[in-house]
Amino acid sequence: GEISLRGRVLPVGGIKAKVLGAARAGIDTVVLPRRNEKDMVDVPPEIFEKLRIVFIDTIEEALKISLEPMASG
C-alpha cells in the first residue's frame, strides 16, 4: 500500500485479488486501508471465515497490528 507523509494509509487497487491470494497462501490476518472497505463486496463470503481482516487509517495502527505478539498454540 501507500502511506502519506503524515502517516495516513491511502487506498490501493486490486483488493479482491490481494485478499484471495492471502487466503490461498494460508495467511490468517490481512491489514487493509479503511478507504478500501467498500471494495470488500467483491470478495466471496467464504473468504471472511478464513481471514481476520483489519481496516486501518494510520501507519501507527498498521505497526501495532503487524508487530503484535503471535498467539502460541
Side-chain angles (χ1 to χ4, degrees), residues 5-52:
L5 293 174
R6 297 193 183 271
R8 303 279 307 164
V9 177
L10 304 174
V12 294
I15 292 297
K16 179 179 179 182
K18 290 174 171 87
V19 171
L20 293 176
R24 265 188 246 111
I27 293 171
D28 60 6
T29 301
V30 177
V31 180
L32 297 170
R34 185 167 316 280
R35 289 171 53 189
N36 282 115
E37 196 167 4
K38 66 186 181 321
D39 300 318
M40 297 305 290
V41 297
D42 298 330
V43 177
E46 61 272 11
I47 297 299
F48 293 100
E49 297 171 12
K50 297 179 182 181
L51 295 175
R52 172 183 169 219

